[in-house]
Structures are given as structure tokens and as C-alpha cells.
Amino acid sequence: MASGLLKDQKFIKIQKLNSIDNGRKKKSIIINDGDFDAVSDGSFVDLNDEKIEKIKIIEDNIESISSGVNVKIPANSLSAAASNNSTVFNANSEYIERHIKIIDGRARSRYKRNTKEAISYFGDVSFQTRPSILDGSINNPYQEKFSGPIFEKISFSDKNSDVLVASNFGGFYVLAWMSVAFSCFKMLIEYYNTHDHSFKDSEILHFMTTDLFTVAAVDLMMYSNLWFIFAIQWLCKMNILKWKPVGRMITAIFESCFVIFYIILTENILGLHWVAKIFLFLHSLVLLMKMHSFAFYNGYLWNIKSELSFSTRALKKYYNSENKEVIETLNRSKDFCTSELNAISDTVAFPENINVKNFFMYTMFPTLVYQVEYPRTERIRWRYVLEKACAIFGTIFLMMLLAQTYMYPVAMRAIAVKHTQWQGYVHRAKQWAELLIDLVPSFITMYILNFYLIWDAILNCIAELTCFGDRYFYGDWWNCVDWGDFSRIWNIPVHKFLLRHVYHSSISFLNLSKSQATLMTFFISSVVHELAMYVIFKKLRCYLFILQMTQLPLVTISKTKYFRDRTIINNVFFWLGICTGPSIMCTLYLTF
């Protein structure tokens, strides 16, 4: 009875996918970090060629799986799987050859080599209940535990005196912000006195307060587009639509048009200023990543659910078959799919997670990677929310004042230099260097303030309001000794998205090695950053693209024997890049 099953291409895919060792050379199975065993969209790849007819199991009329994973099936594997049915495969040799051509070079195993340990789709990123680094080191001790000096209260004659006592620097934290406040107040008074006792001439204030309702309306429209992606998944849940190929195709087309449409809308139709355009562009990228992760996470589960249904029904039909390899393959498939579906949640079964409440909360959470459940806190600390709200508006005000006082005048000088008569590269380079020196101090301060505003103040405030438990939005990037570490920990939400939906996906879909996938991830990230510069400056010069791609050779240099153990020197070079990079980029775009 198993001979019919062995002819079915869907079973062949399952058999290969669940084989413990298929005899191939693994190019890129990421075990420790978790292998995103899928293509860039997070779903299995359909093996069907339009010219190949779908073979069904005649004995049982079992419904074919709607999708599968690209797998490479060597001839020896096929013959071994059909040791008792060689005539079947000989009769279908032409079909098998065509089938192998389609899937050649795209094999991915679900198990570690030579073991029965499965590699789960959900092992690449994780969420835990934890505070952010700044809150854990400063804010919480100051807010909840600050009680004055502590060292004088410790008895070092105690038997536990060898325990390292953590110092509380809450007082310096207060002093730092008081110093910033006094400096800010001084700049504010000076600007007021030198501009006829008025702030109406502030260009930055004009940018920040112009077209607010238009920006809000466009932003709301972008958010509403997220629900189109939810509608596609809901239609799949209602069996009105199939994820593959229709749902996936519609989603891919919609995502491709999403960002481009809003760039054209803000620039060519609405004619918004650069502050509004860059805000809407960056937020559109955030929403794009959210909708992509939701769509293709669930798309993967649709494929798993279909395979589980196929394997379960096939097992019932061929349970007493003498071909033990068929039974073993189906059992492994069933066990893997069951474990994947159980891994998504302890309380919610797929596809019950596709509902309005679950999706709405996901859109509110400060994360770009979808999963059914996240760690949650028990309550909202309103005093903490007030602290972060004050930090948000205070930091924005400080950044506006800094930009108006120190950065805008230099930017205007740079634009004037660009329009002066050309006197050669040497003269222009001298002017550029003078502008760079004037711009570096303010850009360093602006960079730090921008980091604090987004990754600590805004994301922590949103997390507290939504009771989102994982506050690991950034690592201690200031201690980095190479740019590879910096790219991973300075923006954890984006890093998690790139890890799952770009890095691991390029390994699976494009059959890249780990180093090639790293290059691909850097390339895509650099292209998106360069697109942001196009939105701001209305020109495509690739300066930022080149600066970002130079991080790769710098990472290689930092790992050589001359620099590997010189962490302080590497950290100095890192900070040199942080301090000069943004200023170099800005002056290049403004003067050349």
C-alpha cells in the first residue's frame, strides 16, 4: 500500500525534510542562534513547477499539502527510500530529474547533523522579562531604592564583607540632567535676547510645528494599512483564501508598494518638509517590518499545519505498512510539526491567534518580530510613565535647541559653500574640514540624545503602557570593540527582525553561506539607510551606504592578531567612528 505514497511528491518532500542525515554538505545551519528554516518571507517554498502535475494518493485520496520546503533530493536518497519499490522510481525518473532541478541547492534540514534533535523555527529570537540597561543601572535605584550614601552603612567586619557591593550613582544621574537643564536654559535665554525677544524666527521650531495635522493623518493612514495584512490572514483562517500562492503573493506586492507610495505621497503630492518626511519614512519602515513579520510567521504555521494534516492522515492509512522507512518519515514529520505548533504558546492554538485583539496588541507592542505571546508585566507604573513622558518632551526640546543654536547655522554655511565659485578640490576640502570641526561636537551630543530619546524614553514608555515585559531594546553598545558587536546590540528590535527575516532567510532561500548572509544583511541595511538620506537631501550620493559597508573590513581588522586583544584601542577607534561618522556624512551631503 505504501507504493502509492512513495510516488507522491509531497511525501518525498516530507521524507527529505525530516531525514536525520541526508548526506549533503550543510553550508549554513545556525544552531546556537537558531536557524530560520524558511525563506525570506518566513514560509516554506512551493516546489511545484507549473508544468508538473500535482500527484495525489489514489488509494486514500488524501489532500495534498498546500506548500512545502525546498529540498535537495540526491538520487541515492531516493533509491534508498524506495528500496522495495525501485520500479516505481525508475518509472518516474524523468519526473524526479525535473523535480531535483527545481529544488537543487535549496536543501535545509530540520535536525542537527547525525542527531534526532530538531531545529525549531522559533529558536532564533527570544523575549524575557527584564528592564532596560539604563533603568536597571540608574533609574530603578534612583526611583525605588535611592536612600543616600550606602558605604558608611556597611559593616566590613561582617562575614559577608567579601561580597562585592554595587555602587549607586543615582546622585550623578541627577547632577547630569541638572547640568543639561541649566545649559539648555542658558541657550534659550541667549537666543531670546539676540532675536528681538522672540522665538518666531526659529527655523527648527517652524519645521517641528508645520503640517502637524497632515503628518498625523498620513501616519494614521499608514497604521490602517497594517490591517490589510491582518485581513489576508483572517481570510486564510476562514478558508476563504489560501496562503500559498494567493495570500503570499498579495502580501508581497502590497509590501513592495507600501514604502514607495508614501515616499511619493510625502514628497511629490503633499510636499512636506524634511523633518516630516524623514519621520514618516522611518515610521513606514517600522510598520513594514511589523506587517511582514506577522504575515510570514503565520504563513509558516499554515504550512506546518498542512503538513501535519497530511502526515497524520497518511499514518492512519499506512500504519501497518511493511515499509518502516515510510512510517518513520511520517512519524518524524508529525512530531516536528506538532512540536512547532505547540511551541508558539501554552494557551493559544494556531490559528486562534489570528484575531483582532492579538493583532492590535502586537501593533502596539515595541517590537518588530511577531509571536503569539510575549512576557508581560502585572501593572502600569504611572510614575514611571510620567518620568518617561517628561524625558521624551524634554529631550525633544533640548534637541530642537541644540539644532537651532549649533547645527543649523553650520548647515547653512555648508550650503553656501556648495554654491560658491569652484576653486579646486584642495580649497573645497579645506572648507569642508572647517565645517566638519564645527559640526562634530554638536553631532556627538545629538547622536546621544537621539539614542536616549528613541531606545530608552519612547520605547520604555510604550512598553510600560502596554505592560510589555522585555525592555531589552539596546545592549551596552558604548563598550563595543568592533562594529560587528555594535550592529547587533545598538538596536535590538531591528536586529531581531534582520536576524530572522533577512539573515536566516537569505541562507535558506538564496542558499548563502553565513558570511554571504552577513554581507547581504549589511547590504540591505545600508541601502535602506541610504534611502533615508535620499528622503532628507533629495539626492542619491551613496555616502552613507559606503560608510556603512566599510564596517565589514573594519570588523575583519579588529579581529586580527594585532588588534584582537587590544580592547581599549578598539573601543577608541569605535568611538572615533561614532563621533566623526555622522558629521562627515552630513557635510558630504551638504557640500558636494
Side-chain angles (χ1 to χ4, degrees):
M1 294 178 64
S3 59
L5 187 63
L6 287 170
K7 288 188 293 183
D8 190 275
Q9 61 170 331
K10 299 302 182 179
F11 172 76
I12 295 174
K13 290 183 291 183
I14 293 175
Q15 182 185 51
K16 185 62 179 177
L17 196 62
N18 290 278
S19 64
I20 296 176
D21 187 0
N22 55 24
R24 63 179 177 79
K25 293 182 179 179
K26 293 187 180 181
K27 293 184 177 180
S28 51
I29 290 293
I30 313 301
I31 302 301
N32 294 331
D33 295 332
D35 183 41
F36 184 31
D37 188 17
V39 295
S40 58
D41 55 14
S43 67
F44 290 121
V45 181
D46 193 355
L47 299 178
N48 294 332
D49 189 314
E50 293 180 357
K51 298 179 180 180
I52 299 178
E53 295 182 358
K54 295 183 178 180
I55 303 177
K56 296 185 178 180
I57 301 176
I58 300 176
E59 296 88 342
D60 185 12
N61 195 25
I62 298 178
E63 181 181 357
S64 297
I65 305 176
S66 62
S67 59
V69 174
N70 277 333
V71 292
K72 181 179 180 180
I73 308 179
N76 60 349
S77 177
L78 289 171
S79 59
S83 57
N84 297 325
N85 301 275
S86 57
T87 56
V88 174
F89 286 107
N90 291 333
N92 292 279
S93 58
E94 181 181 354
Y95 160 72
I96 294 171
E97 289 177 3
R98 296 177 63 188
H99 188 65
I100 292 175
K101 276 187 178 181
I102 298 173
I103 61 176
D104 185 37
R106 298 183 181 180
R108 284 300 179 268
S109 175
R110 288 175 172 175
Y111 300 89
K112 295 182 181 180
R113 181 178 285 275
N114 298 322
T115 71
K116 294 184 179 181
E117 185 176 352
I119 303 173
S120 174
Y121 166 90
F122 308 108
D124 52 352
V125 299
S126 62
F127 294 88
Q128 305 172 28
T129 302
R130 51 193 167 185
S132 65
I133 291 179
L134 188 58
D135 284 335
S137 302
I138 297 177
N139 279 2
N140 281 345
Y142 165 67
Q143 183 181 19
E144 299 175 0
K145 302 177 182 179
F146 184 74
S147 58
I150 61 173
F151 279 92
E152 297 300 324
K153 301 176 183 179
I154 299 174
S155 174
F156 287 96
S157 61
D158 188 87
K159 62 181 180 180
N160 295 321
S161 60
D162 58 333
V163 178
L164 180 64
V165 179
S167 302
N168 188 322
F169 289 93
F172 275 110
Y173 182 71
V174 175
L175 174 62
W177 279 114
M178 287 186 64
S179 301
V180 170
F182 281 122
S183 300
C184 182
F185 184 72
K186 178 179 179 295
M187 288 189 294
L188 189 66
I189 295 300
E190 288 179 351
Y191 183 90
Y192 181 78
N193 290 332
T194 56
H195 288 78
D196 298 328
H197 304 287
S198 174
F199 298 107
K200 64 181 181 180
D201 296 331
S202 171
E203 292 82 0
I204 302 300
L205 180 63
H206 174 73
F207 288 147
M208 296 295 291
T209 55
T210 301
D211 297 325
L212 289 180
F213 291 104
T214 302
V215 172
V218 174
D219 199 49
L220 180 61
M221 184 168 65
M222 289 195 305
Y223 173 78
S224 65
N225 294 154
L226 285 175
W227 291 88
F228 177 79
I229 299 299
F230 170 79
I232 293 176
Q233 291 297 320
W234 185 83
L235 291 174
C236 293
K237 178 182 177 180
M238 296 292 105
N239 293 320
I240 300 175
L241 195 68
K242 291 292 184 181
W243 167 246
K244 291 188 65 177
V246 179
R248 190 178 68 172
M249 183 182 300
I250 294 174
T251 300
I253 294 173
F254 181 79
E255 289 181 355
S256 301
C257 299
F258 179 78
V259 174
I260 297 175
F261 170 77
Y262 283 104
I263 291 177
I264 296 174
L265 176 67
T266 56
E267 174 65 36
N268 302 100
I269 299 177
L270 298 178
L272 300 177
H273 55 83
W274 69 272
V275 175
K277 287 191 297 182
I278 193 60
F279 166 76
L280 291 173
F281 172 74
L282 295 178
H283 197 204
S284 69
L285 292 180
V286 170
L287 298 178
L288 176 67
M289 288 185 280
K290 274 184 171 287
M291 69 173 71
H292 181 89
S293 187
F294 177 82
F296 292 107
Y297 177 100
N298 286 295
Y300 171 81
L301 293 178
W302 286 121
N303 298 329
I304 289 291
K305 188 172 183 293
S306 297
E307 182 181 338
L308 177 61
S309 176
F310 176 90
S311 299
T312 302
R313 297 173 64 186
L315 273 172
K316 291 180 180 179
K317 180 67 176 179
Y318 299 103
Y319 183 78
N320 295 320
S321 172
E322 295 181 358
N323 194 320
K324 301 302 181 183
E325 188 169 352
V326 171
I327 302 302
E328 183 181 359
T329 297
L330 291 173
N331 275 319
R332 281 200 300 268
S333 172
K334 179 182 176 181
D335 292 342
F336 180 85
C337 293
T338 301
S339 64
E340 286 289 88
L341 292 174
N342 290 338
I344 66 173
S345 172
D346 294 330
T347 58
V348 181
F350 178 80
E352 296 306 314
N353 61 297
I354 303 176
N355 58 70
V356 172
K357 180 181 178 181
N358 181 275
F359 182 73
F360 174 76
M361 292 306 301
Y362 165 64
T363 63
M364 296 292 105
F365 288 149
T367 180
L368 303 176
V369 176
Y370 174 77
Q371 63 182 44
V372 177
E373 293 180 336
Y374 300 91
R376 306 293 299 277
T377 57
E378 296 180 356
R379 61 184 179 87
I380 299 176
R381 298 172 294 173
W382 291 105
R383 186 173 66 170
Y384 181 86
V385 172
L386 178 62
E387 176 192 338
K388 294 303 180 182
C390 292
I392 292 171
F393 290 104
T395 304
I396 292 175
F397 178 74
L398 179 59
M399 293 172 69
M400 291 172 58
L401 193 58
L402 179 66
Q404 180 64 56
T405 306
Y406 295 106
M407 301 182 70
Y408 186 77
V410 180
M412 293 299 100
R413 284 169 48 201
I415 294 176
V417 166
K418 181 179 179 180
H419 292 90
T420 56
Q421 185 177 0
W422 179 260
Q423 300 181 29
Y425 286 102
V426 175
H427 182 263
R428 181 58 58 88
K430 181 181 178 181
Q431 292 177 310
W432 176 81
E434 292 175 351
L435 292 169
L436 178 63
I437 293 173
D438 290 339
L439 204 56
V440 165
S442 56
F443 244 119
I444 296 172
T445 307
M446 186 66 75
Y447 190 91
I448 300 299
L449 289 175
N450 181 70
F451 158 75
Y452 175 76
L453 172 65
I454 297 176
W455 283 274
D456 193 88
I458 293 179
L459 292 183
N460 272 300
C461 186
I462 295 174
E464 190 67 27
L465 288 171
T466 57
C467 294
F468 191 79
D470 193 343
R471 312 295 170 88
Y472 184 49
F473 302 124
Y474 55 90
D476 54 338
W477 58 267
W478 44 87
N479 294 325
C480 285
V481 295
D482 68 61
W483 290 99
D485 291 337
F486 175 73
S487 65
R488 285 188 292 269
I489 66 177
W490 85 282
N491 187 346
I492 298 298
V494 171
H495 168 67
K496 287 181 176 179
F497 178 87
L498 292 176
L499 177 66
R500 171 172 288 184
H501 296 290
V502 178
Y503 177 76
H504 289 145
S505 304
S506 60
I507 289 175
S508 295
F509 184 53
L510 301 177
N511 197 30
L512 301 181
S513 65
K514 289 188 288 185
S515 58
Q516 290 171 334
T518 300
L519 179 61
M520 174 67 73
T521 304
F522 265 93
F523 176 80
I524 293 177
S525 176
S526 300
V527 169
V528 173
H529 280 79
E530 183 61 35
L531 188 58
M533 294 301 100
Y534 173 79
V535 171
I536 295 176
F537 296 103
K538 299 181 182 180
K539 61 177 70 172
L540 198 62
R541 294 290 187 269
C542 295
Y543 299 137
L544 180 55
F545 175 84
I546 295 172
L547 286 174
Q548 280 208 255
M549 292 303 292
T550 55
Q551 293 181 21
L552 291 174
L554 289 175
V555 170
T556 303
I557 293 173
S558 67
K559 295 184 182 299
T560 61
K561 62 179 182 179
Y562 301 103
F563 293 99
R564 186 184 303 115
D565 299 324
R566 293 175 170 85
T567 54
I568 294 180
I569 293 178
N570 285 334
N571 187 248
V572 169
F573 286 148
F574 163 76
W575 272 110
L576 184 63
I578 291 293
C579 293
T580 60
S583 303
I584 291 174
M585 177 197 66
C586 182
T587 50
L588 283 173
Y589 277 102
L590 290 174
T591 56
F592 290 94

